[in-house]
Amino acid sequence: MKTDSKEHRSWFWNWVVNNRLVSILTITLLILLILLVISKVPWLATPFILVGQILGLPIILAGVGYYLLNPLVDRLERYRVRRSWSIIGLFIILALLIAWGIISLIPMVQRQTTTLITEWPQYWHQMTQTSMQWLQDDRLNGVRKQLDQFNQQLSKSSSTAISGLAKSTFSSVGGIVSRVVSIVVAVVTAPFILFYLLRDGHQLPDYLSRLLPVKHRQSAVNLLTEMNRQVSNYVRGQLIVAFIVAVLFYLGFLIVGLRFALLLGIVAGVLNLVPYLGSFLAMIPAVVVAAFISPWMLVKVLIVFIVEQTLEGRLISPLVLGSSLKIHPLTIIFILLISGKAFGVLGVILGIPGYAVIRVVATEIFRWYQKFNGGYEQQGENINEEN
C-alpha cells in the first residue's frame, strides 16, 4: 500500500514539491503578493518611507565609513587598544585629512571645474568638427548625417536641460534650501552613527538574534554575518579600487601634460564605482579635451587609458576585490541596467551589494525549505544508496 501511494504521488513530488524552480517561483510569488498588498494600503508604507528619507543618507554615509574603518579598529583591538580610543584617533586623522583637502584640493578642483564647464562647448564643437572632417569620404555619408543629427539633438537637449534647470532653480528655492539642510544634517549626524557602529556594531547580530526563538538564533547570526561579509568586501574593495584608479589617472594625465588632470582623475575614480562601465565613461571628457588639444595628445591619453585598464584588470581588482562576490559579469550588467532604471544613480552604485544581500537571504530561505520538506535530503540519500 505504501509503495502504491508513493508511486501515485511521485509525479507531484518530483515536479512540484521536490522541484527547485517551482520552489523559487513560489517564494517569489509570495514576496510579490506581500509587496502588492503593501502598495494597495499606502498607510502601511508611509512610516517606512518617512524613516528612509530622514535616516537614509546618514546611515549610508555611516555604513560606508564603517566598512572602511572597521578592519583598522579590529586590528588595533588585537593589539589591546580600546575600541573607543582607536575610533577617536581615526576620527582625528580623518578630520585632519578633510581639513587638508578643503584647504588644498577643493580650490584646485573648483578652478578646474569652472574652467572646464566654460570651455566644454568649444571642446565638443572642435571634436565634432574634427570627426566630420575624418568622415568626408562619400561612402560615409549616412554616418556623417547621423552624427550631425546627433550633435544637433545633443545641443538642443543640453540647452533645454540647462534652461529648465535654471527655471526650476529660481522657482523652487525652498526645495533647494530643504535639501541643503537635510544634507548638512546628514553630514553632521553621520559621524555619531559611525562612532556607535564602530564601537558596538560587532555585537549587532547577537543582539538582533535575541528577538527570535532560541532554535533559530544561530541561523540568524550566520545569515547576518554572511550578509555583512558580502557587503563589506564589495564596498571596501570598490572604494579602494576607485581611489587607486583616481590616483593612476591623475598621475597618467599629469605625465602626458593633459589639462584638468586632477579633476579628470577624481571623475574617473568616482565613475569607477560603476563596475565595468565607469572607466569607459570617465574617458569621454578626457578624450574630448585631448582631441581639442592635438591628435598626439589624444594618442597619449588613449595610452594612459590602456595602461590603467591593464593594471586595474590584471593587478588591482584581483588583489583588492578577488572573487568574493562570485557574480558573473553578465549578471552584473543586468543588475546595473535594472537598478539604474528603477533607482537612478543610487541604484547603479548600490545595486550589486543589494543583489548580494538578496542572494544571501534567498539562499538561506531555500536551505530552510530544503530542510522543511525533506525532499532534497531523500533524493541525496537515494543517490548515495545507488552509488
Side-chain angles (χ1 to χ4, degrees):
M1 294 295 293
K2 291 183 179 180
T3 55
D4 294 338
S5 62
K6 287 184 179 179
E7 291 177 358
H8 181 69
R9 69 177 184 179
S10 61
W11 66 271
F12 181 78
W13 185 265
N14 292 327
W15 289 93
V16 179
V17 178
N18 198 26
N19 191 301
R20 174 179 288 191
L21 178 61
V22 175
S23 303
I24 295 173
L25 293 176
T26 304
I27 295 171
T28 305
L29 179 61
L30 292 175
I31 294 174
L32 293 176
L33 287 175
I34 293 172
L35 295 176
L36 178 63
V37 171
I38 293 175
S39 65
K40 296 299 181 181
V41 187
W43 59 267
L44 286 176
T46 301
F48 298 100
I49 295 174
L50 291 175
V51 171
Q53 291 176 349
I54 296 172
L55 299 179
L57 183 57
I59 288 177
I60 290 174
L61 294 176
V64 172
Y66 171 78
Y67 288 127
L68 283 176
L69 300 180
N70 188 59
L72 296 176
V73 176
D74 290 340
R75 178 163 300 213
L76 291 174
E77 190 178 23
R78 295 193 194 103
Y79 292 104
R80 298 182 179 179
V81 180
R82 292 182 59 184
R83 294 185 71 89
S84 299
W85 290 111
S86 60
I87 295 168
I88 293 173
L90 290 174
F91 274 25
I92 293 174
I93 295 174
L94 283 177
L96 294 175
L97 290 175
I98 292 172
W100 172 77
I102 293 174
I103 294 172
S104 59
L105 289 181
I106 289 183
M108 294 175 58
V109 174
Q110 184 180 5
R111 287 195 299 268
Q112 292 188 8
T113 303
T114 304
T115 306
L116 181 60
I117 292 175
T118 304
E119 299 179 1
W120 179 259
Q122 185 179 0
Y123 290 154
W124 184 260
H125 178 72
Q126 179 66 30
M127 192 190 73
T128 53
Q129 291 297 322
T130 305
S131 302
M132 295 296 291
Q133 292 177 2
W134 291 347
L135 297 174
Q136 288 300 321
D137 195 338
D138 295 336
R139 292 171 294 183
L140 300 175
N141 286 331
V143 177
R144 187 167 60 251
K145 291 179 180 179
Q146 292 179 0
L147 182 61
D148 192 17
Q149 292 176 359
F150 172 74
N151 189 27
Q152 293 177 0
Q153 292 176 358
L154 183 63
S155 301
K156 291 180 181 178
S157 61
S158 60
S159 60
T160 303
I162 293 172
S163 62
L165 180 62
K167 292 180 181 179
S168 63
T169 300
F170 288 108
S171 62
S172 60
V173 176
I176 294 175
V177 172
S178 64
R179 285 177 178 249
V180 171
V181 170
S182 63
I183 292 174
V184 171
V185 171
V187 172
V188 172
T189 56
F192 295 96
I193 300 174
L194 176 58
F195 177 82
Y196 289 106
L197 277 178
L198 291 172
R199 195 187 70 174
D200 304 322
H202 59 287
Q203 301 175 358
L204 187 60
D206 294 329
Y207 177 78
L208 293 176
S209 65
R210 295 174 187 172
L211 303 174
L212 300 174
V214 176
K215 64 178 180 179
H216 297 305
R217 288 181 182 177
Q218 188 59 43
S219 299
V221 170
N222 295 336
L223 176 63
L224 293 173
T225 303
E226 180 63 19
M227 290 168 57
N228 179 68
R229 187 186 68 83
Q230 293 274 346
V231 176
S232 63
N233 288 342
Y234 177 79
V235 173
R236 187 165 55 247
Q238 283 295 116
L239 290 174
I240 293 173
V241 171
F243 175 76
I244 296 174
V245 166
V247 173
L248 287 177
F249 270 118
Y250 169 65
L251 294 177
F253 293 154
L254 202 63
I255 291 172
V256 300
L258 183 67
R259 295 183 64 190
F260 317 111
L262 179 61
L263 176 62
L264 294 175
I266 293 174
V267 170
V270 173
L271 290 177
N272 198 75
L273 295 174
V274 182
Y276 295 102
L277 303 177
S279 297
F280 292 97
L281 294 175
M283 283 302 298
I284 294 176
V287 167
V288 172
V289 173
F292 176 78
I293 295 174
S294 67
W296 175 236
M297 179 60 70
L298 178 60
V299 172
K300 290 192 287 187
V301 167
L302 293 177
I303 292 174
V304 170
F305 177 71
I306 293 172
V307 172
E308 186 277 332
Q309 285 292 297
T310 302
L311 292 175
E312 181 186 354
R314 300 288 181 87
L315 182 63
I316 300 171
S317 292
L319 289 177
V320 177
L321 289 175
S323 58
S324 57
L325 291 181
K326 298 180 181 178
I327 302 177
H328 194 275
L330 189 61
T331 305
I332 292 178
I333 294 175
F334 288 156
I335 294 169
L336 294 176
L337 292 174
I338 296 171
S339 59
K341 181 66 175 179
F343 304 104
V345 178
L346 189 63
V348 173
I349 296 175
L350 301 179
I352 295 177
Y355 168 79
V357 171
I358 293 173
R359 187 179 64 176
V360 171
V361 175
T363 303
E364 190 65 24
I365 291 174
F366 186 74
R367 288 175 181 171
W368 171 83
Y369 179 78
Q370 285 179 314
K371 296 178 181 178
F372 178 75
N373 69 7
Y376 296 91
E377 294 179 359
Q378 183 178 0
Q379 186 179 14
E381 292 175 359
N382 291 335
I383 293 173
N384 292 331
E385 290 178 359
E386 290 177 1
N387 294 333

